[in-house]
Amino acid sequence: MSSTTSSGKESFEDFYTEVKEIEKRDSVLTPKQQIERLLRPGSTYFNLNPFEVLQVDPENTLDEIKKKYRRLSILVHPDKNIDDSERAQQAFEIINRAWKTLENEETRKKSLDIYEEAKERTDHMIEQKRKKQKKDGKVTEGIPEDDPDKYKHAVYVMTMKLFADMERKRQHLETRDMEERKRKREAEIDQEEQMSLEKEWAKNFEESRQNRVDSWKSFQSGSGKKEKKKKKIMGFKPPKPKPESR
């Protein structure tokens, strides 16, 4: 029992020490600043990029990404931001989603593919700039992306654009799919209503058929009696007068 208590105490102390180390290490990124970063205007599109959310380089190892995830999740945890717990919860969920995306091999690969495509597009853009410079005779001037930091920023901007384009495409397909499902459902409802009307008409027709038959029989029966009566009247012969006796 005492061993378990001791172990639990040590675990808590380790956790508390780690929290203090994180706060010290990320003193420029306070919990409040991280919450503001994750919920800032336009964050809906910024947060599509899991690398941006966790502030990691796409080329970082999964272990390195996991460490950053743990660091950020502690900083924005609602229990540590009681005065702003609602927004902290939102930030915490955003960080969790980003980690799940990168933790999963398939979704991490998709994210890395977007990053690689951003690099390829940026390199193509740089190549076009160099060609234009050569054509204009300004080869010695260089281009902004020759600076590693500016090149990295250009890739970052292109990566964000591709994530946003992918989300817009997903929303477009989702809207189109929803409209198609709605159209099909409306067609099904129209068909069901038509079938219901036809069924009701057939039912009413069947129910009234016997009435029509009975009415016809009654009519026929009435006509027969009249015909017989008519024949009887027309066939009436007055009695012959008896000869007068003298």
Side-chain angles (χ1 to χ4, degrees):
M1 180 77 176
S2 59
S3 175
T4 303
T5 304
S6 176
S7 176
K9 186 177 180 181
E10 286 174 3
S11 297
F12 176 78
E13 287 176 352
D14 290 342
F15 171 77
Y16 187 75
T17 302
E18 183 180 3
V19 170
K20 288 299 179 185
E21 287 176 354
I22 288 170
E23 289 177 337
K24 183 179 179 181
R25 189 163 55 239
D26 287 341
S27 57
V28 294
L29 294 173
T30 64
K32 184 177 180 181
Q33 288 172 328
Q34 284 292 356
I35 292 170
E36 290 295 336
R37 178 181 73 85
L38 293 166
L39 301 179
R40 68 192 182 280
S43 60
T44 300
Y45 282 102
F46 278 107
N47 295 339
L48 293 171
N49 183 351
F51 303 113
E52 163 68 11
V53 171
L54 298 179
Q55 296 182 306
V56 293
D57 192 292
E59 296 174 3
N60 286 154
T61 65
L62 189 59
D63 284 341
E64 290 171 330
I65 294 173
K66 186 176 183 178
K67 286 178 183 177
K68 190 60 183 284
Y69 155 69
R70 291 184 65 190
R71 190 181 307 167
L72 289 173
S73 62
I74 290 173
L75 282 172
V76 303
H77 198 285
D79 290 347
K80 284 184 61 61
N81 296 274
I82 298 174
D83 58 332
D84 196 11
S85 60
E86 187 175 334
R87 296 176 77 244
Q89 181 64 37
Q90 293 177 40
F92 185 73
E93 289 172 1
I94 290 168
I95 287 172
N96 274 335
R97 278 199 300 272
W99 165 242
K100 286 178 180 177
T101 298
L102 297 181
E103 181 186 31
N104 180 277
E105 186 176 347
E106 184 180 345
T107 49
R108 184 170 74 254
K109 184 180 182 305
K110 287 181 181 178
S111 298
L112 285 170
D113 286 344
I114 291 173
Y115 169 68
E116 290 299 328
E117 184 180 346
K119 283 178 67 176
E120 288 175 7
R121 291 197 184 191
T122 303
D123 290 342
H124 177 72
M125 176 195 69
I126 291 171
E127 185 181 348
Q128 295 302 309
K129 281 187 177 182
R130 293 194 197 285
K131 284 182 179 179
K132 188 175 185 306
Q133 276 193 336
K134 187 176 181 179
K135 184 179 179 181
D136 296 342
K138 300 178 181 178
V139 182
T140 56
E141 291 183 10
I143 58 174
E145 288 78 14
D146 287 334
D147 182 333
D149 288 338
K150 289 184 178 178
Y151 171 77
K152 189 174 182 179
H153 180 71
V155 173
Y156 164 80
V157 171
M158 184 61 74
T159 302
M160 299 303 293
K161 180 181 181 303
L162 291 179
F163 270 107
D165 288 346
M166 183 180 71
E167 175 61 14
R168 279 193 289 269
K169 184 178 179 181
R170 185 195 68 77
Q171 289 179 358
H172 174 71
L173 291 173
E174 187 178 79
T175 301
R176 192 174 69 179
D177 182 58
M178 190 181 300
E179 289 174 351
E180 180 63 18
R181 287 201 306 269
K182 183 181 177 183
R183 187 191 65 77
K184 284 183 178 179
R185 183 56 188 149
E186 287 175 348
E188 287 173 359
I189 291 172
D190 288 342
Q191 187 177 10
E192 287 170 2
E193 288 178 349
Q194 183 63 27
M195 288 176 67
S196 179
L197 287 172
E198 290 176 0
K199 199 173 181 181
E200 185 69 22
W201 184 89
K203 181 183 176 185
N204 291 337
F205 180 83
E206 185 62 27
E207 287 177 350
S208 63
R209 187 174 69 85
Q210 190 61 43
N211 292 335
R212 292 196 304 276
V213 171
D214 292 344
S215 296
W216 177 249
K217 285 181 177 179
S218 178
F219 173 76
Q220 288 289 79
S221 176
S223 297
K225 287 178 181 179
K226 286 179 182 179
E227 187 66 26
K228 288 178 182 178
K229 190 174 181 181
K230 185 178 180 182
K231 284 180 180 179
K232 189 175 180 181
I233 293 172
M234 289 182 70
F236 172 76
K237 292 180 180 180
K240 291 180 179 181
K242 291 180 180 182
E244 194 173 316
S245 59
R246 291 182 181 232

